Amino acid sequence: MEIKIELTKTPKAKPTDETKLGFGHIFTDHMFVMNYDAGEGWHDARIVPFDNISLSPSAMCLHYGQEIFEGLKAYRTADGSVQLFRPDENYKRMNVSAERMVIPQIDEEFMVEATKKLVEIEKDWVPHTDGASLYIRPFIFATDPYVGVRPADHYLFIIILSPSGAYYSTGLNPVKIYVEQKYVRAVRGGTGFAKTAANYAISLKGQDEAHNQDYEQVLWLDGVEQKYIEEVGSMNIFFVIDGEVVTPQLTGSVLPGITRKSALEVCKSKGIPCSERRITIEEVAKAYDEGKLDEVFGTGTAAVISPVGHLKWGDKVMTINDNKIGKISQMLYDTMTGIQWGKIPDTFGWTVKID
């Protein structure tokens, strides 16, 4: 499919202080847009000036939440070039989300090329500051002007870009995690494995409860027995127990994170024992009491690796590794950010250069 390009006639001033970029509130000059209409399929791919969109108040996405999204980044390397990190995995996952939400599939190779073209046009927006990057947000939503529960016939696919500051501007400091025992994020058979807006809306109450107790994130338990660990905040969770890296298996209620997958592959390449299995909060607490809980960390696109220093389960507060980042967490952070920013060789073939 041809991508039509319309460049803006009024480019924005680019940020002059990249230490104050923050996250998700500055947007580049252009966006990618593509339409879907039943009987015609995906069509009219275009890169146009970033602008507001017009929707009917009865648009189905506003009433029934038929929407999916992805998140990835573009990185500027030391030689000034720009590259992506495993974009094919993001679009594979987007199709999994689309299937669950009854949204038409997209051509993954075409979307990688469309993403590359958009980033190429906006390459001057990719920050130069160490640790900063260009966040890429693809999303699809139903646009039918119809207040009725059914799969839509019309969709918009849009990609927007946002220069974002370094996640750890003050260093890789461990966070405090609160184990949520009342609310749940997802259940098997639901949408927990899909990247859809509802999963994030449903997590807000637990997040608010954690903040009220002076904790930064929520550790979610399973939605049936409420004893098996699933995710932390909007990240995947890992435990290092007696030298073994353990993460909850993908049972349908856990998001299959790209960083999660990459972390496992890095560990295996270095001969570190790994397992994906169901793990209870009781097992974690027992490992802590026995002095075997070496490290806890989250993985995700934004932070890459987020070490956990405190874990609160009921009245029990566990201090992990003296509230310091562990050696495996540090190794994973150094390895993956090193590959993303081109500081070390990409022996896995994960990066995609922007022409």
Side-chain angles (χ1 to χ4, degrees):
M1 190 189 311
E2 178 189 0
I3 301 175
K4 299 174 184 176
I5 298 175
E6 177 191 347
L7 299 180
T8 183
K9 294 181 174 58
T10 56
K12 306 170 190 174
K14 295 177 178 61
T16 55
D17 187 352
E18 293 185 348
T19 65
K20 298 180 179 179
L21 288 173
F23 182 84
H25 68 97
I26 300 170
F27 299 97
T28 68
D29 288 314
H30 301 91
M31 60 185 185
F32 174 87
V33 183
M34 184 167 62
N35 295 76
Y36 178 91
D37 295 299
E40 188 173 2
W42 289 108
H43 65 94
D44 197 17
R46 58 207 184 270
I47 293 173
V48 296
F50 184 96
D51 201 358
N52 295 334
I53 56 177
S54 177
L55 281 177
S56 167
S58 63
M60 291 175 67
C61 63
L62 302 177
H63 299 272
Y64 305 112
Q66 199 183 9
E67 183 271 358
I68 59 174
F69 67 95
E70 271 299 327
L72 60 157
K73 290 181 178 181
Y75 308 84
R76 189 175 299 279
T77 65
D79 64 6
S81 63
V82 175
Q83 62 186 22
L84 307 176
F85 182 76
R86 309 193 80 172
D88 55 321
E89 293 291 339
N90 286 96
Y91 287 112
K92 286 178 186 176
R93 185 171 67 181
M94 194 166 208
N95 269 339
V96 172
S97 298
E99 194 278 333
R100 178 62 181 86
M101 300 301 290
V102 200
I103 291 174
Q105 302 280 297
I106 56 173
D107 184 287
E108 295 161 12
E109 290 186 9
F110 175 74
M111 292 319 306
V112 170
E113 290 305 312
T115 303
K116 289 172 62 179
K117 175 57 69 176
L118 179 61
V119 173
E120 181 183 357
I121 289 172
E122 302 288 61
K123 62 186 176 184
D124 290 343
W125 284 89
V126 181
H128 295 76
T129 303
D130 188 43
S133 57
L134 184 69
Y135 184 74
I136 303 168
R137 169 53 62 90
F139 57 108
I140 303 174
F141 56 95
T143 61
D144 297 36
Y146 174 68
V147 180
V149 183
R150 61 162 174 77
D153 292 324
H154 308 280
Y155 300 86
L156 273 179
F157 182 112
I158 299 176
I159 306 173
I160 56 177
L161 308 177
S162 177
S164 301
Y167 192 89
Y168 295 111
S169 58
T170 59
L172 196 60
N173 299 316
V175 296
K176 296 169 62 180
I177 301 298
Y178 165 84
V179 180
E180 177 55 59
Q181 299 184 78
K182 180 179 179 182
Y183 303 103
V184 300
R185 172 189 168 272
V187 295
R188 279 175 284 167
T191 61
F193 66 92
K195 206 160 176 66
T196 183
N199 292 342
Y200 295 80
I202 205 171
S203 72
L204 295 177
K205 183 62 176 176
Q207 185 74 54
D208 189 53
E209 292 282 330
H211 286 167
N212 289 339
Q213 297 194 41
D214 195 31
Y215 280 75
E216 290 140 303
Q217 287 286 1
V218 174
L219 183 67
W220 295 104
L221 303 179
D222 75 282
V224 179
E225 299 177 73
Q226 287 191 263
K227 67 177 185 178
Y228 293 102
I229 292 168
E230 297 213 322
E231 294 190 16
V232 56
S234 57
M235 306 177 76
N236 293 115
I237 187 73
F238 284 76
F239 304 89
V240 182
I241 299 176
D242 201 19
E244 180 187 25
V245 175
V246 181
T247 192
Q249 69 187 88
L250 303 177
T251 58
S253 54
V254 174
L255 185 73
I258 312 305
T259 313
R260 173 191 183 276
K261 179 177 183 178
S262 303
L264 286 169
E265 291 176 17
V266 169
C267 285
K268 290 172 183 176
S269 74
K270 295 182 178 294
I272 299 172
C274 299
S275 66
E276 300 175 68
R277 60 178 175 82
R278 303 191 80 186
I279 178 172
T280 65
I281 186 62
E282 289 89 351
E283 180 182 346
V284 170
K286 183 174 183 288
Y288 175 79
D289 290 339
E290 294 175 352
K292 296 180 180 179
L293 185 59
D294 304 325
E295 302 178 43
V296 181
F297 58 90
T299 62
T301 299
V304 184
I305 299 295
S306 182
V308 176
H310 289 89
L311 185 61
K312 184 177 188 293
W313 175 39
D315 295 328
K316 187 181 186 67
V317 177
M318 295 168 263
T319 301
I320 315 300
N321 195 40
D322 294 325
N323 197 34
K324 298 175 183 176
I325 185 171
K327 61 181 182 179
I328 292 178
S329 305
Q330 187 71 63
M331 178 278 293
L332 287 171
Y333 181 80
D334 292 343
T335 301
M336 284 194 280
T337 58
I339 292 171
Q340 289 167 344
W341 273 278
K343 297 175 182 178
I344 64 174
D346 175 14
T347 58
F348 297 92
W350 287 341
T351 54
V352 175
K353 289 286 187 182
I354 302 297
D355 297 331

